[in-house]
């Protein structure tokens, strides 16, 4: 049973709170790097995001849930490491059983328990039914309304034809994905929700994930028409314009104080020039593969124009929303994320991370990484998998039983680019952190789904 007792208790609470509850909007980019947008000293003009950062709190050191997309999205929705949720790597629905398990309690379900209207618009990539496998759709994870794609906008961001609305294929659409996603969000806000209830709007953009496309007039601001870097920047600029339209609609619906807005990216960029000089990129558990922007905006509650240096990440979103809105967290499950509300409200002493940040991705080298304070610990596997880039569910027994080797230790305050391995110089610190890493790893692997047996 999925959190049934607590769910009904929260439903009773929702009756008394009603529409006084704060709206929640989560904005997620796809493959956007740590140093892409303006407020992170990136080259793309992003006035809408810069304004959200100025009016809220920006985390200088914010992390994705994984170095690739599906696992990071599972972590965002659950506050749990993605392997616990059934998602080991990026999901290929036609050939894999993997999906976000129905037993997991998502942020949408938490908020529904308090009477929220819920909608997901944009990329999903957490499993949808295919000819071979029947998988739960977003409505099984707490979303009243959904407009989504399996994975990417195809054939590109321009005129995509892969959207599904509440289980029905939409067909070819005219326009660019980010703008179409915001169009759908605005339509839902205007026409499909109960306007007396608070809402949770989950907006997951496709940009700047390949295959990329953006309007010519925007691309021209960054370079030549066929310059991939210029097109990449154009997709981010176009998304910022779409976000600006959505924020304008939110402000028409209610005062800024009525809505908590969170912005992040699912993993680091696939472009080496957009990682802020950090080591690695998408797909790797180096800092460049897992560092992303992180912005929280809620006027009157979240401090404005603040930059926080405390490490945080997507895994913290669910417990933080619960903390900021004074909601009960999911009962009887282990949350890997911590509540950041103290940091966001200006009470740093109220924040305590109960468990170091941890990443695992079977095809990455290093395969695991952990952030504990200023320290980064990474390691390689002591086993080999096939060369396939796509996750093979027959690997699961080897992954669960596998151990690690070649541990490397870095002081990120002195060495953010991870160039100097301190393992030999800090044997006591290495031993302590290694023990923590192995304990977290054992807990996660014990919860991991055995898709190879199903």
């Amino acid at each position: 049973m999925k959190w049934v007792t607590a769910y009904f208790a929260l439903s009773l609470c929702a009756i008394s709170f009603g529409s006084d509850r704060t709206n929640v909007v989560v904005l997620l980019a796809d493959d956007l790097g740590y140093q892409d947008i303006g407020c992170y000293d990136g080259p793309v003009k992003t006035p809408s995001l810069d304004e959200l950062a100025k009016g809220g709190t920006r985390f200088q050191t914010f992390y994705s849930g994984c170095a690739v997309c599906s696992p990071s999205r599972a972590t965002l929705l659950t506050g749990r490491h993605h392997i616990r949720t059934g998602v080991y790597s990026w999901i290929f629905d036609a050939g894999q059983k993997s999906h976000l398990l129905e037993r997991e309690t998502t942020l949408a379900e938490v908020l529904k328990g308090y009477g929220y209207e819920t909608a997901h618009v944009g990329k999903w990539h957490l499993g949808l039914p295919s000819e071979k496998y029947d998988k739960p759709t977003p409505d099984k994870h707490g979303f009243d309304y959904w407009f989504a794609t399996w994975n990417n906008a195809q054939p590109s961001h321009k005129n995509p034809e892969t959207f599904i609305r509440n289980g029905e294929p939409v067909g070819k659409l005219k326009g660019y994905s980010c703008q179409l996603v915001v169009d759908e969000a605005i339509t839902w806000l205007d026409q499909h929700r109960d306007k007396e209830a608070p809402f949770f709007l989950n907006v997951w953009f496709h940009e700047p994930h390949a295959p990329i496309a953006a309007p010519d007039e925007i691309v021209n601001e960054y370079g030549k028409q066929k310059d991939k870097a210029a097109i990449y920047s154009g997709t981010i600029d176009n998304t910022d314009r779409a976000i600006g339209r959505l924020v304008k609609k939110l402000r028409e619906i209610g005062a800024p104080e009525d809505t908590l807005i969170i912005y992040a990216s699912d993993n680091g960029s696939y472009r080496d020039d957009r990682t802020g000089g950090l080591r690695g990129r998408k797909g790797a558990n180096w800092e460049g593969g897992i560092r992303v922007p992180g912005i929280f905006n809620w006027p009157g509650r979240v401090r404005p124009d603040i930059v926080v240096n405390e490490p945080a990440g997507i895994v913290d979103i669910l417990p933080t929303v619960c903390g900021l809105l004074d909601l009960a967290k999911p009962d009887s499950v282990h949350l890997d994320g911590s509540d950041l509300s103290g940091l966001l409200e200006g009470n740093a002493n109220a924040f305590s991370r109960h468990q170091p940040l941890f990443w695992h991705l079977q095809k990455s080298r290093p395969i695991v990484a952990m952030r504990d304070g200023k320290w980064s610990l990474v390691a390689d596997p002591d086993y080999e998998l096939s060369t396939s880039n796509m996750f093979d569910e027959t690997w699961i027994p080897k992954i669960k039983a596998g151990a690690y080797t070649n541990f490397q230790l870095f002081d990120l305050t002195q060495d953010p680019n991870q160039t100097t391995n301190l393992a030999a110089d800090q044997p006591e610190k290495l031993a302590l952190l290694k023990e923590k890493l192995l304990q977290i790893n054992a807990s996660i692997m014990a919860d991991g789904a055995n898709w190879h047996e199903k």
Side-chain angles (χ1 to χ4, degrees):
M1 296 176 69
K2 184 199 284 189
W3 200 40
V4 173
T5 303
Y7 179 88
F8 282 110
L10 295 179
S11 297
L12 292 174
C13 291
I15 296 173
S16 62
F17 284 114
S19 59
D20 292 337
R21 278 291 180 195
T22 300
N23 303 316
V24 178
V25 177
V26 173
L27 308 172
L28 188 70
D30 191 2
D31 285 3
L32 182 136
Y34 168 68
Q35 201 167 65
D36 269 322
I37 66 176
C39 55
Y40 281 85
D41 298 324
V44 184
K45 290 172 280 189
T46 54
S48 299
L49 289 170
D50 297 350
E51 187 64 25
L52 288 175
K54 184 177 181 180
T57 293
R58 176 172 67 85
F59 282 84
Q60 185 66 24
T61 308
F62 201 76
Y63 289 97
S64 66
C66 185
V68 294
C69 42
S70 299
S72 192
R73 294 159 191 272
T75 292
L76 187 158
L77 283 182
T78 64
R80 285 158 55 80
H81 192 276
H82 54 86
I83 289 179
R84 298 188 196 273
T85 77
V87 183
Y88 286 79
S89 185
W90 64 274
I91 293 172
F92 176 60
D93 284 309
Q96 295 173 351
K97 301 173 186 176
S98 302
H99 59 263
L100 177 61
L101 291 165
E102 279 194 74
R103 74 186 184 201
E104 293 298 309
T105 300
T106 68
L107 179 58
E109 290 169 308
V110 171
L111 294 173
K112 272 180 70 71
Y114 280 90
Y116 277 68
E117 294 279 290
T118 60
H120 169 86
V121 293
K123 179 170 177 172
W124 180 243
H125 211 189
L126 289 173
L128 287 174
S130 64
E131 291 185 5
K132 190 173 181 181
Y133 300 113
D134 183 25
K135 302 183 182 184
T137 46
D139 54 291
K140 302 298 184 183
H141 293 296
F143 291 100
D144 302 315
Y145 183 100
W146 59 280
F147 175 75
T149 62
W150 280 272
N151 185 355
N152 302 320
Q154 295 286 355
S156 74
H157 300 144
K158 185 177 182 179
N159 301 336
E161 52 191 42
T162 47
F163 277 98
I164 303 166
R165 182 185 289 114
N166 298 325
E168 297 296 326
V170 176
K172 187 174 182 178
L173 296 171
K174 186 176 181 179
Y176 290 88
S177 177
C178 59
Q179 300 290 349
L180 293 167
V181 165
V182 165
D183 285 345
E184 192 77 15
I186 291 173
T187 298
W188 179 77
L189 289 168
D190 282 341
Q191 301 178 14
H192 298 292
R193 66 185 176 93
D194 177 358
K195 293 182 175 57
E196 298 301 314
F199 61 81
F200 169 44
L201 179 57
N202 198 44
V203 185
W204 289 359
F205 297 104
H206 295 90
E207 290 86 351
H209 193 295
I212 55 177
D216 290 350
E217 62 272 19
I218 298 179
V219 174
N220 289 340
E221 297 186 23
Y222 298 96
K224 296 181 179 180
Q225 284 295 310
K226 294 186 179 181
D227 179 354
K228 289 185 177 179
I231 302 170
Y232 176 94
S233 292
T235 71
I236 299 168
D237 185 317
N238 197 25
T239 303
D240 186 78
R241 298 178 191 211
I243 290 171
R245 289 200 300 121
L246 179 58
V247 172
K248 180 181 178 182
K249 168 57 67 172
L250 294 171
R251 300 318 187 216
E252 291 171 359
I253 290 172
E257 293 79 10
D258 293 341
T259 304
L260 166 64
I261 302 175
I262 301 170
Y263 174 82
S265 176
D266 64 344
N267 48 252
S269 177
Y270 51 86
R271 293 187 59 89
D272 290 325
D273 59 342
R274 298 302 179 88
T275 63
L278 299 173
R279 185 174 181 177
R281 58 179 177 175
K282 175 185 176 179
N285 281 329
W286 297 110
E287 289 285 291
I290 54 179
R291 281 274 293 276
V292 296
I295 299 169
F296 290 74
N297 179 287
W298 185 12
R301 188 68 179 271
V302 170
R303 293 181 300 161
D305 203 16
I306 294 292
V307 177
V308 173
N309 290 313
E310 179 75 32
I314 276 176
V315 70
D316 302 320
I317 287 178
L318 183 147
T320 299
V321 170
C322 290
L324 287 172
L325 273 61
D326 194 25
L327 312 180
K329 298 178 180 67
D331 193 19
S332 302
V333 296
H334 177 84
L335 293 180
D336 294 290
S338 297
D339 178 2
L340 304 173
S341 59
L343 295 172
L344 295 168
E345 294 171 333
N347 185 9
N349 292 331
F351 174 73
S352 176
R353 184 166 295 285
H354 69 281
Q355 172 186 301
L357 297 162
F358 176 85
W359 297 268
H360 181 288
L361 182 61
Q362 72 289 333
K363 296 301 290 186
S364 168
R365 297 296 178 270
I367 190 173
V368 289
M370 187 180 76
R371 176 80 193 252
D372 189 15
K374 69 178 184 177
W375 298 102
S376 166
L377 181 67
V378 303
D380 294 330
D382 71 346
Y383 56 92
E384 294 294 330
L385 300 172
S386 74
T387 58
S388 171
N389 182 48
M390 190 176 297
F391 182 69
D392 186 335
E393 289 164 342
T394 64
W395 294 344
I396 291 176
K398 186 175 286 189
I399 291 170
K400 284 193 164 191
Y404 305 115
T405 187
N406 188 29
F407 283 87
Q408 299 180 66
L409 179 65
F410 303 93
D411 178 351
L412 294 180
T413 59
Q414 301 298 320
D415 180 25
N417 297 336
Q418 296 172 295
T419 61
T420 305
N421 178 13
L422 300 176
D425 298 332
Q426 298 275 352
E428 292 183 0
K429 178 60 68 175
L430 175 66
L432 176 63
L433 294 177
K434 180 178 177 181
E435 182 180 1
K436 288 185 179 182
L437 184 148
L438 294 177
Q439 287 176 348
I440 297 170
N441 183 81
S443 172
I444 287 168
M445 293 304 171
D447 282 349
N450 293 320
W451 295 114
H452 59 292
E453 296 177 351
K454 298 180 184 291

